[in-house]
Amino acid sequence: MGRERKFTDEELFNATKEMIINEGYESFTFSRLAAILNVSRGSIYKYYENKDELISEFLMYEMNRFLTEINALNKEGDFQTQFDLLIDFIFRHNNIHQVMEIINQIPSNTTKRVEGNKLKLGEYHVDMYQQFQGLIDLGREEKRIKSHLPTAVILGMIFQTIAIPNHFDIPKEEWIASIKEILCHGMLQKE
């Protein structure tokens, strides 16, 4: 009979996320992760051949969770209603973009498991952008978004704006409302 696993996937992935966000891909090691989980390195190696397998599995877990939640959002209502819901959702998951950038740091020619995960993550990324494309299309149909603006620029603005650090500790509600206002109405006064 095999020994019981000393950590859950959720515990493992939460610790992985914390390390990646705070220390980055290069600093990530099984030794440090094992210390956080209070287990031996060998107990992690039992399930993952190397850090790239673990990190790619973590990324699959994160994206799957993100897409499941975004698919469950209410897609009823007009553009502004859906836009507000989506921006609030993205702020709840404001590090998803940072986490997903890690996939570009995983080297090619690694294990088949990693290569398969990288392909699947590419599909997840397309699915995520299709969700946003639907919102942009609705905004154009309702004549809320200017038709000449490229979708890639709009999506880039949304994601990059959300990634702006709040160095002045503006209350979160005010911070989010201000970003929504700038994204929807710009920053210039109308004369």
Side-chain angles (χ1 to χ4, degrees):
M1 183 196 274
R3 294 186 350 185
E4 189 175 315
R5 190 172 177 176
K6 296 181 182 185
F7 51 84
T8 65
D9 282 343
E10 187 173 355
E11 291 168 334
L12 178 66
F13 292 150
N14 284 339
T16 298
K17 182 176 186 175
E18 183 91 11
M19 282 183 66
I20 285 175
I21 287 172
N22 293 328
E23 302 170 27
Y25 172 82
E26 291 299 325
S27 297
F28 185 93
T29 65
F30 277 7
S31 296
R32 294 176 76 170
L33 181 62
I36 290 169
L37 293 170
N38 200 27
V39 298
S40 71
R41 279 184 355 192
S43 65
I44 299 171
Y45 276 111
K46 251 168 63 173
Y47 302 98
Y48 302 98
E49 189 175 315
N50 57 43
K51 81 177 191 177
D52 296 331
E53 279 191 3
L54 171 57
I55 290 171
S56 69
E57 289 288 323
F58 156 71
L59 293 172
M60 295 273 293
Y61 170 84
E62 278 293 295
M63 272 304 275
N64 192 18
R65 194 171 63 111
F66 181 84
L67 289 172
T68 299
E69 288 182 35
I70 203 169
N71 284 328
L73 286 177
N74 184 354
K75 306 255 183 346
E76 303 290 318
D78 64 358
F79 169 78
Q80 191 63 53
T81 301
Q82 289 187 41
F83 178 81
D84 287 343
L85 283 172
L86 194 59
I87 295 298
D88 291 340
F89 174 80
I90 292 171
F91 267 103
R92 283 193 307 277
H93 299 280
N94 64 344
N95 55 19
I96 191 71
H97 205 11
Q98 177 187 2
V99 167
M100 289 310 297
E101 289 297 316
I102 299 296
I103 196 66
N104 297 324
Q105 296 178 34
I106 296 176
S108 296
N109 302 325
T110 184
T111 69
K112 288 184 188 226
R113 183 176 179 185
V114 172
E115 292 306 313
N117 288 346
K118 285 176 83 171
L119 287 172
K120 188 67 177 166
L121 284 163
E123 293 172 16
Y124 283 167
H125 215 241
V126 168
D127 187 16
M128 179 180 74
Y129 275 95
Q130 285 175 341
Q131 297 283 337
F132 294 106
Q133 175 70 51
L135 179 65
I136 302 302
D137 291 344
L138 177 62
R140 285 192 172 114
E141 285 172 25
E142 292 182 10
K143 307 248 187 282
R144 296 294 309 268
I145 294 177
K146 296 174 182 175
S147 61
H148 71 279
L149 295 175
T151 299
V153 172
I154 295 168
L155 293 177
M157 289 292 297
I158 291 170
F159 280 109
Q160 293 307 314
T161 303
I162 289 166
I164 296 170
N166 184 355
H167 293 300
F168 298 101
D169 293 324
I170 295 170
K172 187 173 183 175
E173 295 76 25
E174 183 182 344
W175 180 259
I176 294 171
S178 297
I179 286 177
K180 283 181 188 178
E181 182 176 345
I182 291 169
L183 285 171
C184 289
H185 307 292
M187 64 179 198
L188 301 178
Q189 292 283 359
K190 303 256 190 235
E191 292 185 31

